[in-house]
Amino acid sequence: MTIKEVEETTGLSRSHIRFYEKEKLFCPSRDGRNGYRDYSEEDVRAIQKIAFLRTLGIPVDGIRKVIGHEKELRQVLEEQVRSLNAQEEALKRAKELCARMIKNEENDFESFEVERYIGKLPEYWEENRRVFAADAAGFFCLWGGAVVWGLLVMASLLTAVLSYKGLPERIPVQWSGETASSLADRGWIFAYPAACVLVRFLLRPFLLQWLERRTVFRKSMADYITNYLCFVALSAEVFTLLFTKGIVRWVGVLLVADGAVLALLVFCGYRALYGRRP
């Protein structure tokens, strides 16, 4: 059975079917004649079961553990019921608070008092930490925004343009310790801004697809990673110039700089999402 036939049989899109396969939730056989996937009736039933469990809100990892016999289906279902109960309680409480505010005729922002509805604010903020995580994602939007990407590209392009005439005919593009292990034409300096463009428009769509089922911050995370890779390209470009001028000779400086920036961004991002109180 072809993937088109599976789409017609299950009513699911090709992207969902491919995603389940990529997550190793099922593994179709291959047609020995052409190497194409050959989906069996068992595969179709597995796809339908997986999709149904996903509609219940069960995470992909939970489904994988059931399929791999690491957990019983009943255990995963019980865990999901507990999770749904917690969500239901939170929604019920939010609904009650909204109803109370309507009953009290809270009509404008200036007049209503939070303390009138919540007794212990610190505990209430802690209970709703997950809500504030989405607000804190602004940190990712800041670093991952198109403006930052544009600045990185412009910085890389300007660096290439301004330094091109002063470069030797051959410039280093690979290093080993304090030695250039590979040289290329000096026009290679323009490969760095080009890489920033390619990362944004070719790699980013794949990141978006890969992160689709993994995080609610899919777009922000994809932009975040994309811009970091552009920073790596810019730092490599700057290191090339410094190496050529004899100012810096050890490639470890580049690795340390990139690693330090990555560690800082991860730390700040994690703290923004999970470490701050509202």
Side-chain angles (χ1 to χ4, degrees):
M1 189 181 300
T2 65
I3 191 167
K4 184 176 181 181
E5 291 172 326
V6 176
E7 285 184 282
E8 294 172 352
T9 302
T10 63
L12 296 168
S13 69
R14 180 176 305 223
S15 62
H16 285 95
I17 297 168
R18 293 282 196 226
F19 174 75
Y20 298 151
E21 181 184 348
K22 185 176 66 175
E23 289 295 322
K24 309 297 183 184
L25 299 180
F26 76 100
C27 185
S29 60
R30 295 275 182 172
D31 190 323
R33 296 167 297 178
N34 52 32
Y36 292 162
R37 294 174 178 82
D38 184 14
Y39 297 89
S40 65
E41 292 293 337
E42 184 179 349
D43 291 330
V44 171
R45 286 192 294 273
I47 292 168
Q48 291 173 328
K49 291 177 182 179
I50 293 164
F52 174 69
L53 292 176
R54 288 293 295 131
T55 65
L56 302 181
I58 296 175
V60 168
D61 187 57
I63 298 173
R64 185 185 296 108
K65 288 179 179 178
V66 171
I67 294 172
H69 303 291
E70 296 178 42
K71 284 187 175 182
E72 292 184 352
L73 177 58
R74 180 185 179 87
Q75 182 182 356
V76 171
L77 290 171
E78 289 173 346
E79 291 173 355
Q80 182 62 7
V81 167
R82 288 194 292 270
S83 176
L84 292 172
N85 285 338
Q87 294 176 42
E88 186 178 11
E89 286 298 319
L91 290 172
K92 181 180 178 181
R93 185 175 185 184
K95 182 179 178 180
E96 290 173 351
L97 288 172
C98 288
R100 283 179 59 192
M101 293 181 71
I102 292 171
K103 184 178 180 180
N104 292 335
E105 298 184 352
E106 301 284 12
N107 295 321
D108 56 77
F109 185 81
E110 289 76 13
S111 63
F112 91 89
E113 298 292 337
V114 176
E115 290 80 0
R116 186 176 182 182
Y117 303 97
I118 304 299
K120 298 180 179 179
L121 284 178
E123 288 82 354
Y124 182 74
W125 300 146
E126 187 65 30
E127 291 170 3
N128 290 274
R129 178 180 289 272
R130 293 180 64 183
V131 175
F132 299 114
D135 298 338
F139 173 83
F140 289 109
C141 296
L142 175 64
W143 169 258
V147 173
V148 173
W149 173 78
L151 291 173
L152 290 169
V153 173
M154 288 302 299
S156 181
L157 183 59
L158 284 173
T159 300
V161 170
L162 295 175
S163 63
Y164 179 75
K165 289 186 178 180
L167 292 173
E169 291 299 321
R170 307 280 289 175
I171 61 173
V173 291
Q174 288 184 331
W175 301 268
S176 177
E178 298 183 3
T179 306
S181 59
S182 180
L183 300 175
D185 183 89
R186 65 179 180 175
W188 179 265
I189 199 70
F190 290 99
Y192 296 107
C196 293
V197 175
L198 292 175
V199 163
R200 181 79 179 186
F201 293 102
L202 294 184
L203 178 61
R204 182 173 171 272
F206 288 101
L207 287 173
L208 285 170
Q209 185 177 9
W210 185 76
L211 291 167
E212 182 177 5
R213 299 286 181 175
R214 289 174 169 81
T215 174
V216 295
F217 307 122
R218 178 176 69 100
K219 183 180 181 300
S220 296
M221 286 292 290
D223 290 342
Y224 191 84
I225 295 169
T226 297
N227 282 1
Y228 173 71
L229 292 176
C230 290
F231 170 80
V232 170
L234 174 61
S235 65
E237 180 182 15
V238 172
F239 179 79
T240 298
L241 299 179
L242 296 177
F243 187 93
T244 302
K245 301 293 184 181
I247 299 173
V248 178
R249 304 295 299 179
W250 184 49
V251 70
V253 172
L254 174 64
L255 300 178
V256 169
D258 289 342
V261 171
L262 176 61
L264 179 63
L265 291 173
V266 170
F267 171 77
C268 292
Y270 181 86
R271 187 167 179 268
L273 288 177
Y274 304 109
R276 290 181 181 174
R277 293 179 183 273

